[in-house]
Amino acid sequence: MKQTTIHFIVIGNPIAHSKSPEIHQVFAAQTELDISYQRQYCPDDAESFTAVVEAFFHGGGVGANVTVPFKQVAYDVCLTRGGLSEHAKVAGAVNTLLTKDGALYGDNTDGQGLVNHMTRLGWPLAGMRVALLGAGGAARGVVLPLIQASIGELTIANRTPSKAETLVAELSAASPTINKHDINTCATAELTGEFDLIINATSIGLSGDTLPLADNLNCHYAYDMMYGRELPFLQHFAARKAQISEGYGMLIGQAALSFERWTGHPIDMAQATATLKKQH
Ligand code: ATR
């Protein structure tokens, strides 16, 4: 008997470049589910976003991913008329929408996707001294998952250090798991010494600028949340013999967690990653 097609979308602006449909089709093949996963363009305003979401779920849609620039809008919509997971609450952003008991529910799988990817790489997060570069939305989303992965110490460095301080104050107010006294902050140019892991969560890769990294800043592992382009941040630490990774595996990781939330089917990440690599 033919299965009913399960409908998913990813909402963004722009959206044509999104790799999510091909990733989710690999998950569908692996789990033998019949899915449709479409890119959904949306005008950049909250009313249009809300209308798209309502129409999709009203029409029987099961799950939606949310990407730039709608993650905070999606959070607001779930806050006022639905529910939010702890990760979404702390991140202040939603990348995964579903319905629970008939109401809209927002989750955020970005930070767990990052942690899962580093775990797959064999990077031993527990006890690590970690520096996180950036204090915007991308950085905000990964702090709780990093702390839940039992890292040893966290420093948040930002071009504008006051924004890192504000971020820490907001995160500790939002989650009992985050203690502001356990997180250091500083200006990026003043970050010095030896770290186990440095994560670039700034949007600098989009600008062509380079980060002002101190000469005596070193690490064993360097991760850039961007992917698919030349990343001077990674080149800098590769030249210093660090193990490096771009963020494509994080994209697959967050997608797999969304798929699991929607369908209840866990993803074999080694198989999915190998298939996606072959497709490129
Ligand atoms: P995202 O959602 O991608 O995190 P964002 O919320 O706009 O985007 O945050 C962008 C982050 O990248 C900020 O930490 C920003 O630093 P400031 O807070 O000082 O603005 C950082 N960033 C962006 N361009 C940068 C640049 N050219 N040099 C250094 N940091 C930069």
Side-chain angles (χ1 to χ4, degrees):
M1 199 175 70
K2 181 151 173 23
Q3 294 175 21
T4 318
T5 305
I6 312 170
H7 290 272
F8 305 117
I9 51 172
V10 54
I11 311 168
N13 181 351
I15 197 62
H17 65 285
S18 172
K19 294 188 189 317
S20 293
E22 67 180 71
I23 294 173
H24 282 270
Q25 286 302 344
V26 168
F27 299 160
Q30 184 185 103
T31 53
E32 298 182 348
L33 292 176
D34 177 10
I35 75 157
S36 156
Y37 189 112
Q38 304 297 325
R39 296 180 183 89
Q40 177 65 57
Y41 171 84
C42 180
D44 186 5
D45 64 85
E47 293 73 38
S48 300
F49 177 79
T50 307
V52 164
V53 169
E54 274 179 356
F56 174 69
F57 284 105
H58 189 68
V62 167
N65 278 134
V66 180
T67 187
V68 178
F70 297 118
K71 289 184 186 185
Q72 279 83 21
V73 177
Y75 169 88
D76 291 339
V77 172
C78 292
L79 187 66
T80 50
R81 61 170 78 181
L84 288 159
S85 71
E86 192 198 359
H87 283 108
K89 277 185 200 155
V90 177
V94 161
N95 79 333
T96 304
L97 287 169
L98 52 149
T99 51
K100 252 191 189 177
D101 304 325
L104 198 62
Y105 185 80
D107 200 349
N108 193 318
T109 63
D110 285 329
Q112 291 161 281
L114 168 72
V115 165
N116 289 8
H117 183 215
M118 291 193 287
T119 305
R120 288 201 304 283
L121 290 169
W123 296 9
L125 285 173
M128 272 191 176
R129 286 194 72 209
V130 179
L132 180 62
L133 310 185
R140 181 184 294 264
V142 301
V143 172
L144 180 62
L146 284 172
I147 289 172
Q148 288 174 331
S150 304
I151 59 165
E153 207 181 297
L154 181 60
T155 300
I156 301 180
N158 197 38
R159 172 174 62 183
T160 316
S162 60
K163 286 200 200 159
E165 286 164 28
T166 305
L167 176 65
V168 172
E170 288 174 2
L171 288 170
S172 59
S175 168
T177 312
I178 301 174
N179 182 346
K180 67 178 176 210
H181 303 294
D182 292 342
I183 305 177
N184 308 309
T185 59
C186 68
T188 307
E190 281 157 23
L191 188 70
T192 56
E194 183 90 17
F195 287 85
D196 296 307
L197 167 65
I198 304 182
I199 300 167
N200 183 16
T202 72
S203 54
I204 196 163
L206 303 172
S207 71
D209 292 349
T210 46
L211 286 164
L213 301 173
D215 269 349
N216 65 344
L217 177 66
N218 283 298
C219 62
H220 302 297
Y221 302 93
Y223 194 101
D224 200 316
M225 286 167 60
M226 297 261 164
Y227 61 87
R229 62 184 80 219
E230 223 174 77
L231 297 165
F233 166 81
L234 292 182
Q235 290 163 354
H236 177 92
F237 288 108
R240 292 160 174 247
K241 306 275 182 277
Q243 287 189 47
I244 61 166
S245 177
E246 60 158 24
Y248 184 57
M250 172 180 176
L251 181 75
I252 307 173
Q254 62 77 29
L257 291 165
S258 296
F259 192 89
E260 288 176 27
R261 303 277 196 283
W262 294 329
T263 67
H265 287 260
I267 296 300
D268 173 345
M269 292 305 290
Q271 195 261 354
T273 305
T275 307
L276 284 161
K277 245 189 209 151
K278 260 188 246 150
Q279 288 179 2
H280 282 105

